[in-house]
Structure formats: structure tokens, C-alpha cells
Amino acid sequence: MSALLSVANLRVEIATRRATLVAIDDVSFDISAGEVLGVVGESGAGKSITGTAILGLLDHPARIAAGRIMLDGQHINALPAAEMRKLRGKYIGAVFQDPLTCLNPLMSVGRQIVQTLTTHLDLTASEARSRALRLLSEVGIPAARERLDSYPHELSGGMRQRVVLALAFACAPKLIIADEPTTALDVSIQAQIIELLKRMCRERGTAVLLITHDMGVIADTADRVAVMYAGRIVELGSVASVLRHPRHPYTRGLVASIPSLRRRHVKLLQIAGSMPHLDARPSGCAFHPRCPVRLPRCAIDRPEIHQVGNASIACWLPPDASSTDTTSDKGVATDA
Ligand SMILES: Nc1ncnc2c1ncn2[C@@H]1O[C@H](COP(=O)(O)OP(=O)(O)OP(=O)(O)O)[C@@H](O)[C@H]1O
Ligand SMILES: [Mg+2]
């Protein structure tokens, strides 16, 4: 089956006065129709830039310098801005961390949904209004009819994010790009929003690129996961396989930090050190300074991503040495 979204050898550069920085380097992945692909990694890994590049929303000085983004067989990384805007409303929906970036503060939520619907679909105003009402009830807004006339600031954070989901799904897109959709919300509400996103996608067969720094969210939401480090994918595979047998030492560190997957008496582990800045990426494998099992060549040669068993990894460790059980603490550097 051909992929719904296919990203091949994506490279994003950011031109600064002193140098051209490479934010995303040779990133490739596919998403099938209806599939949830999680993208995980610490802050600065390049997750948002990847999502923004697909949406065609990269801002100067960032730009796609190489690679290809295909949606449903159509090349979309060189479309004129107006075409891209059409595509964003109709075929790709976006959900960002802060609901207010997706909502217009000066327009009632009902009008925003109606406007999206009438811009992209051939609907009359009254058809659009009843569809907006259905969408609001579907995302769990109580007294939806009255809420049509509410402004974003009159709603709680959780309700706003529900409205954003209603907007994102309004035109029945094939793909949703959700960038940390719950990070800004109260912890008690996060699970509800993730559950809602999952349900809506499942019911409609919508594919999702779900960006998060939370392996726990990946564990109960995604089908496959791409682990990013310093602008590259270091591991890609099914969630079941990556969580049970993380192969890349960085993935092992992330997996070890999921509380629910760990024995209760074991302290939460963290990976020592931090993500390098764009202008100070280490040579060879960018993770090598933090890697507890590095080899001499890791500082010199960059490992390319390749298939190992049923996952792909970018690591020089021999396959047997780089597979471990998540219940083992070995091979993870700790801050503690
Ligand atoms: N306009 C810009 N100019 C310079 N550097 C930038 C710019 N935009 C992003 N970056 C850098 O690119 C890198 C990747 O950024 P990105 O926002 O994709 O990270 P992320 O994985 O989404 O992190 P987070 O979890 O914090 O959201 C970071 O080091 C960031 O500082
Ligand atoms: Mg981000």
C-alpha cells in the first residue's frame, strides 16, 4: 500500500548571520492512511520543525533545503502559498500546544468553524452551522448550541483544545499534525484530550503525526514511533517493538523514563547531559558524548539509519548488543 504521507531525505536549514545551521538532516518516514506515527525526543530534537515543514509553515530564516514531502502522491513541499493554505484546511489539520495559536480571539468559535467549512467545502451557511454544532457536540462541548456564540477566552483551556480539534477535523482531513496537543493543559485534562484525538481519528480513519516528548503518550496512542535526536531519526519502528526492545541507547534512556513501564521501586532514570545546540552538534553520532556504550568510531563516523530486525536504527553497536529489555537498568546513564 502506498503511503498517505511520505517524507524523504528532508533537510531543513536555518540561515544565521554567522552560519547556515542544519536543523533537520536527512529525515525520512512514511505514514499510512489511518496510522498514528508518534515523534518523540527531548526539547530541541527537531520535532516541531519537522511538523511545521510538512504543514508548509516554516518561517524565514528556516527553509527546506532538500528532500521531498508527498501527500497522497502529490508533491507538497514546493506548492505556492495559496495552494498550501487550501491543503491545510482541507487535507491536513493542525493542533498545536497552545489552543490560542489555532483560534482567532475576535471571532466566536461557531463562526470560526463555519468559516473553515464554507471556505473549503461546498456548503451553505445553514448546512455549515449545523455541521459546526455537530462537531462541537462530538468533541464533548456541553451545551454546544450556546457555545457556538462563545469567544475563545470564555472557554477553559481544555474546552478550547476541544474546539481546536473540532476545527482540525471540520473538513475531514486525511492527516492531522498534532504538536504537543496537551502539554499546555492541566494534567487531569491531558488524558481526556488524547483519548478524544484517538477516538476521532479511529472513527474517521484519519492519520496522525503526533509530536510529544512523552513516551507514555506514545505508548498508549501511537502505532509506530520515530525517535528524534539532534535533527535526525535515530530509531523508527512499531511502538510494541521499540518499547519492548529499544535498540538505540538514546531510546533506551527515554523508555527507562516511562514510569508505568518500570518496576515501582526503581528510581526514574534520566539520560545524563542535554541535547546539543544546533551550532554545536558533536561529530560522528551526535549522541556519542552522552552515550553510555559508545565505541571509538562513534565520535568520528556518523551512523546512517538502517534496518535491524523489525526496526530501523542509526547506531554503530552490533545488533545483539543494542537490543535490551526495558526492565533492565543496564546501559542507561543516570543523573542521579
Ligand atoms: N528560527 C530559528 N532560528 C534558530 N534556531 C531555531 C529556529 N527555530 C528552531 N530553531 C532550533 O532548532 C532546533 C529544533 O527546534 P524544534 O522546535 O523543532 O525542537 P522540538 O523538538 O520541537 O523541541 P521542543 O520539545 O522544545 O518543542 C532547536 O535547537 C531550536 O532552537
Ligand atoms: Mg516543539
Side-chain angles (χ1 to χ4, degrees):
M1 194 174 70
S2 72
L4 170 69
L5 178 79
S6 169
V7 174
N9 312 108
L10 180 67
R11 178 182 175 96
V12 174
E13 294 181 351
I14 300 176
T16 68
R17 245 183 307 151
R18 281 189 304 169
T20 296
L21 306 175
V22 181
I24 300 296
D25 194 6
D26 205 15
V27 160
S28 302
F29 59 86
D30 285 349
I31 304 183
S32 308
E35 182 184 39
V36 180
L37 176 73
V39 176
V40 73
E42 292 163 296
S43 188
K47 307 181 296 295
S48 294
I49 293 189
T50 303
T52 312
I54 296 166
L55 285 163
L57 291 174
L58 282 178
D59 270 336
H60 180 79
R63 67 175 192 104
I64 295 177
R68 207 181 50 189
I69 304 172
M70 309 271 288
L71 180 71
D72 239 352
Q74 189 194 1
H75 209 140
I76 63 165
N77 55 309
L79 286 182
E83 289 290 307
M84 203 59 219
R85 252 196 311 277
K86 263 195 235 161
L87 207 73
R88 272 199 301 273
K90 200 167 170 187
Y91 297 102
I92 313 180
V95 181
F96 296 113
Q97 177 172 332
D98 178 2
L100 293 177
T101 53
C102 298
L103 298 174
N104 180 342
L106 303 175
M107 219 191 256
S108 71
V109 299
R111 250 188 83 202
Q112 296 187 49
I113 301 175
V114 166
Q115 198 174 65
T116 300
L117 287 167
T118 51
T119 305
H120 297 290
L121 306 177
D122 192 16
L123 294 177
T124 66
S126 83
E127 283 167 347
R129 203 173 155 85
S130 53
R131 188 136 157 194
L133 181 59
R134 261 208 317 278
L135 278 161
L136 282 187
S137 342
E138 202 179 336
V139 297
I141 306 263
R145 192 173 296 278
E146 288 88 88
R147 283 306 180 193
L148 279 174
D149 298 319
S150 298
Y151 285 80
H153 74 267
E154 298 174 304
L155 304 175
S156 67
M159 286 297 150
R160 273 186 219 136
Q161 200 61 308
R162 287 175 192 269
V163 171
V164 170
L165 285 177
L167 260 180
F169 280 95
C171 301
K174 296 189 172 172
L175 173 70
I176 295 269
I177 299 206
D179 189 349
E180 308 270 8
T182 62
T183 308
L185 302 177
D186 221 68
V187 179
S188 60
I189 295 172
Q190 293 183 351
Q192 294 173 17
I193 298 293
I194 289 290
E195 203 42 53
L196 177 63
L197 176 68
K198 258 166 65 175
R199 175 166 64 76
M200 294 190 73
C201 289
R202 211 174 32 232
E203 287 172 3
R204 291 148 199 258
T206 316
V208 192
L209 180 77
L210 177 63
I211 296 171
T212 174
H213 57 262
D214 187 341
M215 265 290 196
V217 168
I218 296 287
D220 54 48
T221 310
D223 300 305
R224 284 187 308 139
V225 58
V227 180
M228 285 192 80
Y229 189 81
R232 294 170 64 81
I233 293 179
V234 296
E235 182 155 3
L236 178 69
S238 74
V239 166
S241 124
V242 171
L243 292 187
R244 207 167 308 134
H245 299 290
R247 293 164 197 272
H248 196 286
Y250 179 61
T251 316
R252 279 190 238 164
L254 290 181
V255 170
S257 69
I258 310 178
S260 58
L261 289 187
R262 302 191 51 73
R263 283 165 283 153
R264 228 168 284 134
H265 62 276
V266 180
K267 221 170 155 185
L268 215 64
L269 297 176
Q270 283 189 341
I271 309 164
S274 56
M275 178 80 65
H277 281 280
L278 285 192
D279 56 358
R281 293 236 171 109
S283 59
C285 168
F287 186 62
H288 86 262
R290 300 173 73 187
C291 184
V293 288
R294 64 177 167 264
L295 307 167
R297 76 179 298 189
C298 300
I300 304 157
D301 300 329
R302 190 174 79 177
E304 298 304 323
I305 193 152
H306 59 282
Q307 188 85 23
V308 176
N310 47 8
S312 299
I313 66 163
C315 181
W316 289 121
L317 279 183
D320 45 348
S322 64
S323 178
T324 186
D325 197 276
T326 52
T327 50
S328 158
D329 293 342
K330 289 196 197 85
V332 177
T334 68
D335 271 332

